[in-house]
C-alpha cells in the first residue's frame, strides 16, 4: 500500500459507521467489530486501486459491500449466524413501557432486532439502513424481489409488535425509488 | 425519526467504546500477502482486474500452441513414421516396456494397426503399433472393470478387451455370484462398442477369446450361471458365442454352443475348433445339433485349455502339465499330429529344461516361423518375461523380445497379430516416453483440455458438490423451520 496514512485516516473517520453497520447486521458488538475489521483487511488489498488512478472508487462503499457479503455468506453457510441463545422467544417478548428512555429504546430495539429472523433483519437493514433497492437487496441476499418485499413487510410488522414505542411513521418508510436509480450506493 | 435514524442510533449506542484498528488491518494484510494463498489471491485478483489483457494472453498462448501443433506432431512421432504406413517395416519389437500413465488413448490418437497387445498388473491394456514404435492405451475405464483379456484380430486392426463379472462383483444384496461380462470391441480409428454377453441374470464369466481369420468374427467361451443351488453354491453352463461385425459396424451375438468345453481356437480358414467337446448336446448358429463329426468341427484330445493350430491345421500345440505329481510338476509343450479329421492322440513333447524355472507359458500364435509364446520365469526375486519362437520339431527356443520391467510394474504381451507374427521380422522397439513433459504428452494435455474433458469433468464435479450441498442445506433448513435462528 502506498498511502497508509490515508488508510488510517479513513478508518478513523469512517470506522464508527462501519461498526454500526456491523452491529445492525450481526446484532452483536464483538461480531460486528470482527466483521468490520475483516472488511478493512480486505480493503487494504484494494486500497491503491480504489483511491488512485483513473478508475478511482469509493473505499467506504467497497468496505460496506464487503461486510455485507461476508456476513451474508457466513449467514447462509450457517443458516443463521447463531451467536448466543436468547432467554425469551418472540411470542413472549413484551414491549417497552418507557418510550422516552433512550437507553431502554436502544435495548429494546436491540432485542427486537435479535428476535427477527435473520433474513428479515437482513432485508430491513439492507433496504432501510443501507438504502439498497429491492433489486439490489434481492441480488445481495440471492433471493427474489417478491421475497424481499414480503420479508420487509413482515419484518416491519414484527417490529411494530416488538417495539410499539417506535414512531409508526418510522415503520412505514417511503419506498426507495427502485426503478429510477437501481445502482445507487448511499454512503454516510 | 425514520427507521434509518432509529437503527443508526441503536447501533451507535451499542457500539459505544468500540473502535477499529487500522494498524491491525494493515499488519494482517501484509501477513496474508506473504503466504502462498495470499500471493495466489493477489495474482488472481490482478489477473481478473486486468481481464482483457489476461484473456488476450491466454488466447495468444492457445493460438501459439495450435499453430505449432504440426511441428509438435512431427517431433512427437517416432522416426519410423506412423504405424500402418505402407513403407513402415512391420514386425515384432525386440523390446517392450510398460507404457507410462500419460500414454495417449488409442481412441484419441488412433494407430492404423497394432502388432502387440500388452496387459499390466492393474488390468490396463495397451497396444503397440505394427512397426513397434508407438504405444497407445486402451480405454479400459469404459468397462468399469480391469481388463482380463486383450486380443488382437489377425490383421491387427481390431482389438477386443473385457473383463469377467467376478471382478465387478455381484451387486450388494444380490445372490448372483457374478456380475455381467462385458466386452469392448474397437476397430482402430473408429468408436469402441460395448457388448454384454447374454446370461440368465445371474452373471457370467469369460474364459477365452479367439478371432476368426477374417477379423470380423470373434468366438467367446465362458460360463453362465444358470441357477443358484443354495448356501452360495450355483450351477454353471459353459457356452460359446460368436460375435459378428455387420455392415453397419455393429456387432451381433449368437450362441453357437451350450454345455461345451472351453478350449477353442480358430483355423486359418476361420473354422472354429474346439477342445475336448464332451458329449452334451450343443447348438450351432442355425439351431441344429452341433455334432463332433460334422464338417468343420475338429476335436482335440488331451488338454482342454489353451491350444493353437498350425497354419495348415494339421497339428495343434498345447501347454500342459504332464504329471499331476507334486513336486515338481513337469510341464511340456505338447504337439498333436492330425490324422484324418481328428487330431491323433500321438503327442510329441517339447522338452523344457527343468532349470528354466518357467512357471507360465502363454501361447500366442503358430506361424511358419514356429510357435510364438510368452515365457515367464522367476529368477531371484524378479520375473523375467520373454517372447520366443519355439520350434515344433525339437522345442528349440529363440528369444525375440525381452520385456523390460521397471520399478512401477510390468506389462506383458498377451496377444500378437497374426500379420505381424507371420512376417517373421523383428524390428527395433521404440521406448515409450519416460517423462510426461514431452511434446506428445503436452499435445495430449492440450487436446484433452481443449476438447473440454477437463472442463466437463470439473463442471460435473462442481455440480455434484452443489447438489449435495443444497440437499444438506435444505435438510438442515427443514429441521430448523419454525425456530428462531437465535433460539
Amino acid at each position: 500500500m502506498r498511502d497508509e496514512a490515508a488508510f488510517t485516516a479513513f478508518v478513523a473517520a469512517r470506522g464508527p459507521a462501519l461498526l454500526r453497520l456491523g452491529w445492525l447486521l450481526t446484532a452483536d458488538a464483538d461480531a460486528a467489530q470482527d466483521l468490520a475489521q475483516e472488511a478493512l483487511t480486505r480493503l487494504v488489498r484494494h486500497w491503491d486501486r480504489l483511491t488512485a488512478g483513473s478508475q478511482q472508487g469509493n473505499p467506504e462503499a467497497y468496505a460496506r459491500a464487503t461486510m455485507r457479503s461476508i456476513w451474508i455468506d457466513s449467514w447462509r453457510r450457517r443458516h443463521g449466524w447463531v451467536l448466543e441463545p436468547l432467554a425469551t422467544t418472540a411470542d413472549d417478548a413484551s414491549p417497552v413501557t418507557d418510550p422516552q428512555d433512550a437507553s431502554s429504546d436502544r435495548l429494546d430495539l436491540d432485542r427486537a432486532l435479535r428476535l427477527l429472523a435473520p433474513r428479515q433483519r437482513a432485508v430491513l437493514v439492507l433496504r432501510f439502513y443501507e438504502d439498497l433497492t429491492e433489486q439490489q437487496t434481492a441480488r445481495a441476499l440471492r433471493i427474489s424481489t417478491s421475497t424481499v418485499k414480503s420479508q420487509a413487510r413482515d419484518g416491519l410488522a414484527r417490529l411494530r409488535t416488538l417495539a410499539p414505542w417506535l414512531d409508526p411513521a418510522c415503520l412505514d418508510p417511503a419506498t426507495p425509488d427502485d426503478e429510477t436509480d437501481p445502482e445507487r450506493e448511499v454512503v454516510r | 425519526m425514520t427507521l434509518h435514524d432509529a437503527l443508526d442510533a441503536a447501533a451507535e449506542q451499542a457500539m459505544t467504546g468500540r473502535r477499529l484498528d487500522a494498524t491491525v488491518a494493515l499488519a494482517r494484510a501484509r501477513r496474508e500477502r506473504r503466504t502462498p494463498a495470499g500471493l495466489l489471491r493477489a495474482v488472481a485478483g490482478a489477473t481478473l482486474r486486468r481481464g482483457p489483457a489476461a484473456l488476450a494472453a491466454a488466447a495468444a498462448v492457445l493460438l501459439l500452441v495450435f499453430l505449432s501443433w504440426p511441428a509438435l506432431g512431427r517431433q512427437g512421432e517416432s522416426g519410423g513414421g506412423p504405424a500402418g504406413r505402407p513403407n513402415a517395416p512391420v514386425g515384432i519389437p525386440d523390446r517392450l516396456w510398460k507404457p507410462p500413465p500419460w500414454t495417449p488413448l488409442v481412441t484419441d490418437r488412433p494407430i492404423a494397426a497394432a502388432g502387440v497387445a500388452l496387459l499390466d498388473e492393474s488390468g490396463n491394456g495397451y497396444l503397440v503399433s505394427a512397426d513397434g514404435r508407438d504405444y497407445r492405451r486402451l480405454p479400459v475405464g469404459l468397462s468399469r472393470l480391469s481388463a482380463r483379456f486383450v486380443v488382437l484380430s489377425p490383421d491387427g486392426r481390431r482389438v477386443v478387451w473385457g473383463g469377467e463379472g467376478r471382478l465387478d462383483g455381484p451387486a450388494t444384496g444380490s445372490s448372483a455370484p457374478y456380475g455381467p461380462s462385458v466386452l469392448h470391441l474397437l476397430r482402430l480409428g473408429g468408436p469402441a462398442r460395448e457388448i454384454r454377453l447374454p446370461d440368465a441374470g445371474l452373471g457370467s464369466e469369460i474364459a477365452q477369446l479367439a478371432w476368426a481369420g477374417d477379423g470380423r468374427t470373434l468366438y467367446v467361451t465362458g460360463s453362465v450361471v444358470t441357477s443358484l443351488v443354495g448356501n452360495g453354491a450355483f450351477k454353471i453352463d459353459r457356452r460359446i458365442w460368436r460375435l459378428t461385425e455387420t455392415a453397419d459396424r455393429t456387432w451381433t451375438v449368437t450362441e453357437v454352443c451350450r454345455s461345451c468345453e472351453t478350449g477353442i481356437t480358430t483355423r486359418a480358414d476361420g473354422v472354429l475348433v474346439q477342445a475336448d467337446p464332451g458329449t452334451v448336446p450343443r447348438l450351432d448358429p442355425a439351431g441344429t445339433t452341433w455334432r463332433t463329426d460334422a464338417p468343420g468341427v475338429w476335436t482335440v484330445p488331451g488338454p482342454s485349455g489353451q491350444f493353437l493350430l498350425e497354419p495348415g491345421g494339421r497339428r495343434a500345440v498345447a501347454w500342459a502339465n504332464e504329471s499331476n505329481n507334486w513336486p515338481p510338476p513337469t510341464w511340456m509343450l505338447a504337439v498333436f499330429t492330425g490324422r484324418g479329421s481328428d487330431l491323433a492322440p500321438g503327442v510329441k513333447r517339447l522338452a523344457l529344461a527343468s532349470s528354466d524355472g518357467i512357471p507360465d507359458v502363454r501361447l500366442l500364435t503358430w506361424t511358419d516361423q514356429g510357435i510364438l509364446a510368452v515365457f515367464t520365469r522367476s529368477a531371484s526375486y524378479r520375473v523375467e518375461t520373454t517372447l520366443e519362437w519355439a520350434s515344433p520339431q525339437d522345442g528349440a527356443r529363440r528369444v525375440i523380445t525381452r520385456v523390460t520391467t521397471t520399478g512401477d510394474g510390468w506389462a506383458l504381451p498377451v496377444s500378437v497379430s497374426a500379420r505381424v507374427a507371420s512376417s517373421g521380422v523383428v524390428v527395433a522397439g521404440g521406448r515409450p516416453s519416460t517423462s510426461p513433459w514431452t511434446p506428445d504428452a503436452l499435445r495430449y494435455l492440450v487436446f484433452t483440455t481443449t476438447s473440454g474433458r477437463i472442463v466437463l469433468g470439473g463442471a460435473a464435479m462442481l455440480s455434484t458438490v452443489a447438489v449435495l450441498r443444497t440437499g444438506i442445506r435444505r435438510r438442515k433448513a427443514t429441521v430448523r423451520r419454525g425456530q428462531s435462528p437465535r433460539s
Side-chain angles (χ1 to χ4, degrees):
Chain A
M1 181 189 283
R2 285 192 292 268
D3 194 356
E4 293 189 1
F7 178 75
T8 307
F10 166 79
V11 173
R14 302 309 303 160
L18 298 178
L19 283 172
R20 290 200 295 277
L21 173 62
W23 182 82
L24 287 170
L25 290 173
T26 63
D28 181 272
D30 292 330
Q33 196 164 11
D34 290 345
L35 182 61
Q37 197 72 51
E38 174 62 27
L40 284 183
T41 304
R42 296 190 187 187
L43 177 63
V44 170
R45 297 187 203 124
H46 304 278
W47 181 263
D48 291 339
R49 178 173 57 86
L50 289 167
T51 57
S54 57
Q55 297 178 335
Q56 190 165 346
N58 186 331
E60 183 172 0
Y62 180 88
R64 297 178 89 89
T66 304
M67 289 175 68
R68 288 198 300 267
S69 62
I70 293 173
W71 178 73
I72 289 166
D73 285 348
S74 112
W75 165 61
R76 290 176 69 89
R77 265 201 301 273
R78 301 181 194 185
H79 305 280
W81 199 354
V82 180
L83 294 169
E84 58 186 25
L86 287 181
T88 57
T89 63
D91 295 335
D92 59 8
S94 56
V96 175
T97 54
D98 183 5
Q100 303 307 315
D101 184 350
S103 175
S104 296
D105 284 359
R106 202 277 298 168
L107 287 175
D108 280 272
L109 187 54
D110 175 356
R111 215 166 110 200
L113 284 173
R114 284 167 181 251
L115 291 174
L116 292 177
R119 194 151 71 173
Q120 282 179 349
R121 192 177 68 242
V123 168
L124 291 185
V125 170
L126 296 189
R127 284 282 289 126
F128 303 116
Y129 186 75
E130 288 289 274
D131 289 336
L132 298 188
T133 65
E134 286 173 346
Q135 287 90 341
Q136 287 170 332
T137 307
R139 210 176 307 135
L141 296 173
R142 287 175 232 166
I143 56 179
S144 66
T145 310
S146 57
T147 306
V148 170
K149 289 177 182 172
S150 65
Q151 291 287 313
R153 185 182 61 244
D154 295 347
L156 289 173
R158 198 161 173 77
L159 269 186
R160 279 188 209 102
T161 306
L162 296 171
W165 43 265
L166 280 172
D167 184 0
C170 147
L171 294 177
D172 190 18
T175 303
D177 188 356
D178 287 337
E179 310 305 328
T180 54
D181 188 11
E183 296 301 329
R184 68 189 172 142
E185 183 80 45
V186 178
V187 177
R188 282 162 294 278
Chain B
M1 176 183 274
T2 64
L3 179 56
H4 177 277
D5 295 337
L7 292 172
D8 200 50
E12 185 173 8
Q13 190 136 9
M15 299 307 292
T16 302
R18 303 270 182 170
R19 56 183 286 273
L20 292 174
D21 196 337
T23 54
V24 170
L26 288 167
R28 277 185 59 191
R30 277 193 215 102
R31 197 165 54 244
E32 285 188 12
R33 193 176 283 270
R34 277 198 294 270
T35 63
L39 287 172
L40 191 63
R41 202 162 38 232
V43 170
T47 307
L48 288 175
R49 280 196 300 277
R50 293 162 180 76
L55 280 177
V61 169
L62 278 178
L63 187 65
L64 195 65
V65 168
F66 280 108
L67 286 178
S68 60
W69 195 273
L72 287 173
R74 275 195 295 276
Q75 289 171 24
E77 293 292 351
S78 56
R85 187 177 291 176
N87 295 332
V90 169
I92 303 173
D94 61 350
R95 289 277 181 182
L96 289 170
W97 285 266
K98 180 184 180 181
W102 50 84
T103 303
L105 284 171
V106 68
T107 47
D108 290 340
R109 297 195 57 209
I111 52 177
V116 180
L118 306 174
L119 196 60
D120 72 8
E121 73 277 11
S122 303
N124 298 309
Y126 306 93
L127 299 181
V128 185
S129 62
D131 61 5
R133 293 172 181 269
D134 293 299
Y135 284 75
R136 294 290 185 270
R137 195 158 44 93
L138 289 177
V140 291
L142 287 173
S143 58
R144 302 182 309 279
L145 11 111
S146 303
R148 277 287 309 274
F149 308 92
V150 181
V151 184
L152 291 173
S153 66
D155 61 2
R157 298 183 190 281
R158 289 173 180 78
V159 59
V160 58
W161 72 94
E164 63 202 21
R166 186 194 298 273
L167 293 175
D168 206 13
T172 305
S174 166
S175 56
Y178 297 152
S181 292
V182 178
L183 284 176
H184 292 271
L185 287 142
L186 173 69
R187 183 173 51 85
L188 297 183
R193 309 274 184 191
E194 180 178 306
I195 295 174
R196 175 181 167 171
L197 293 178
D199 56 35
L202 299 173
S204 60
E205 187 180 23
I206 301 171
Q208 199 179 345
L209 305 170
W211 284 96
D214 61 355
R216 293 172 178 272
T217 305
L218 175 74
Y219 290 98
V220 182
T221 67
S223 303
V224 170
V225 179
T226 55
S227 62
L228 303 176
V229 180
N231 295 326
F234 50 89
K235 290 183 177 177
I236 62 170
D237 185 39
R238 298 187 190 281
R239 305 268 169 97
I240 298 179
W241 298 274
R242 182 174 59 209
L243 279 64
T244 310
E245 187 179 23
T246 59
D248 59 351
R249 306 287 190 192
T250 59
W251 291 80
T252 58
V253 182
T254 311
E255 187 180 278
V256 298
C257 176
R258 281 193 176 181
S259 305
C260 40
E261 295 303 321
T262 56
I264 58 166
T265 192
T266 50
R267 234 168 39 187
D269 56 4
V271 171
L272 175 68
V273 179
Q274 209 184 341
D276 195 10
T279 57
V280 184
R282 60 215 53 176
L283 304 175
D284 71 0
T288 58
T289 302
W290 180 316
R291 294 157 46 136
T292 56
D293 58 351
V297 178
W298 284 32
T299 60
V300 180
S304 58
Q306 187 197 14
F307 69 103
L308 294 174
L309 286 180
E310 69 164 331
R314 308 304 302 171
R315 289 186 297 175
V317 63
W319 169 243
N321 184 355
E322 193 176 33
S323 164
N324 290 325
N325 296 329
W326 178 266
T330 306
W331 296 95
M332 65 174 182
L333 279 178
V335 175
F336 306 90
T337 305
R339 188 182 298 167
S341 62
D342 290 349
L343 290 178
V347 174
K348 180 175 184 178
R349 295 170 176 80
L350 302 182
L352 293 175
S354 58
S355 59
D356 277 0
I358 296 174
D360 186 38
V361 172
R362 180 189 290 266
L363 302 172
L364 296 183
T365 185
W366 189 342
T367 72
D368 295 336
Q369 307 291 322
I371 300 161
L372 186 63
V374 178
F375 290 81
T376 303
R377 57 179 69 77
S378 302
S380 59
Y381 303 108
R382 63 195 179 98
V383 175
E384 290 181 357
T385 303
T386 52
L387 193 60
E388 302 181 21
W389 288 116
S391 165
Q393 276 72 38
D394 55 7
R397 304 205 310 274
R398 179 164 52 96
V399 175
I400 310 168
T401 306
R402 293 190 186 280
V403 179
T404 303
T405 55
T406 57
D408 55 349
W410 43 263
L412 297 182
V414 290
S415 180
V416 175
S417 75
R419 170 175 169 245
V420 166
S422 60
S423 71
V425 176
V426 178
V427 297
R431 182 168 191 169
S433 168
T434 55
S435 165
W437 305 115
T438 60
D440 200 49
L442 179 64
R443 274 185 303 155
Y444 180 67
L445 183 67
V446 172
F447 176 80
T448 51
T449 306
T450 52
S451 66
R453 291 188 179 192
I454 291 176
V455 174
L456 289 177
M461 199 160 59
L462 288 175
S463 304
T464 306
V465 170
V467 167
L468 289 174
R469 196 162 164 240
T470 304
I472 293 169
R473 288 166 63 177
R474 286 189 178 170
R475 188 170 170 274
K476 284 185 178 174
T478 304
V479 171
R480 294 185 180 197
R481 190 170 296 156
Q483 297 180 4
S484 168
R486 294 191 174 278
S487 62

